[in-house]
Amino acid sequence: MRVKLSGISDLYSAKIAVEYNADFISFNFDTADKDYLTLEHAHVIAQQIPETRKVGEFRNMPLNYVNKAADSVGVDYVQLNGSESDRYIKRVERPVIKRFVFDDDFTLEKAEKCPAEMILIDIGAQDFKNEKLADIIAKMHKSVIIAAKVDRKNVLALNHVLKPYAVDVSDCLEVNGVKNYKKITSFMRHVHSLQGNVIYKLP
């Protein structure tokens, strides 16, 4: 079970995520998002966590800006959350994660046709026990990240039902809309305990 922690906006939370072996740490550069982070701040954090894969999230921004921003921060992946075209995606200078909303318009063919390296399927508050979605993920040739209402209670069941490449986690790590290091620690400890892994903290 791989974990992508989204909306990280402070260095302490980032370091806690690294300590507990998060597979991806995601910074949001969409100014309309509550987790918005400036490029300068993200760069400072990224410099301190070189060992972890870092993702920069953008929505419908000019291509030149996205490429320059990804380079200046030093992210490993660019996640596109808007209506970016296939042509646009091909011109991004980092590996791309393309977000799709799981609705009536979403199809396996649309996701497979997308030139992004990975697909993020956002199901929101929908029930993850969905045969259509599970079938789509099973047939996908690309790695699939699932964004959902994930928490300690359901993460194992979600992973078992959908078998995604990774789960995207954000809201369950917050207190009053702000990432909380105790929530991050608790969630990651739980994930590792489910996998039989023991995390030893250095003294």
Side-chain angles (χ1 to χ4, degrees), residues 11 14-15 18 42-52 54:
L11 180 57
K15 283 189 170 282
V18 170
H43 173 72
V44 171
I45 296 174
Q47 292 293 103
Q48 300 297 314
I49 52 170
E51 66 272 45
T52 300
K54 294 165 285 292

Side-chain angles (χ1 to χ4, degrees), residues 33 83 144 168 187:
D33 194 279
S83 56
V144 176
D168 184 286
F187 182 86

Side-chain angles (χ1 to χ4, degrees), residues 12-160:
Y12 189 59
S13 293
K15 283 189 170 282
I16 290 291
V18 170
E19 181 178 354
Y20 286 91
N21 296 338
D23 298 279
F24 301 86
I25 290 176
S26 193
F27 308 127
N28 199 314
F29 302 127
D30 179 358
T31 56
D33 194 279
K34 68 177 179 62
D35 293 320
Y36 167 70
L37 187 65
T38 66
L39 300 180
E40 294 77 13
H41 194 175
H43 173 72
V44 171
I45 296 174
Q47 292 293 103
Q48 300 297 314
I49 52 170
E51 66 272 45
T52 300
R53 288 176 285 183
K54 294 165 285 292
V55 181
E57 297 187 34
F58 303 86
R59 180 190 295 271
N60 298 329
M61 295 180 180
L63 178 65
N64 284 344
Y65 174 81
V66 170
N67 283 330
K68 289 180 180 178
D71 188 56
S72 68
V73 173
V75 297
D76 303 291
Y77 295 85
V78 164
Q79 179 174 317
L80 300 175
N81 294 334
S83 56
E84 296 86 0
S85 68
D86 288 353
R87 182 172 180 270
Y88 180 109
I89 292 170
K90 290 177 181 178
R91 296 171 65 194
V92 175
E93 295 171 357
R94 291 285 195 284
V96 172
I97 301 170
K98 182 68 180 80
R99 174 182 174 270
F100 288 89
V101 175
F102 186 64
D103 55 21
D104 292 338
D105 293 328
F106 179 82
T107 64
L108 172 63
E109 292 72 24
K110 183 184 294 186
E112 287 278 65
K113 176 178 174 288
C114 176
E117 281 74 6
M118 286 188 272
I119 301 298
L120 185 145
I121 303 177
D122 191 338
I123 69 172
Q126 297 179 67
D127 188 354
F128 61 83
K129 297 172 185 176
N130 185 302
E131 291 185 6
K132 177 184 175 183
L133 178 57
D135 185 59
I136 286 174
I137 294 174
K139 292 178 178 177
M140 286 281 292
H141 292 95
K142 298 178 186 292
S143 297
V144 176
I145 301 171
I146 287 292
K149 292 294 182 181
V150 184
D151 56 34
R152 282 172 50 99
K153 295 178 181 178
N154 67 12
V155 65
L156 180 61
L158 183 149
N159 190 64
H160 178 73

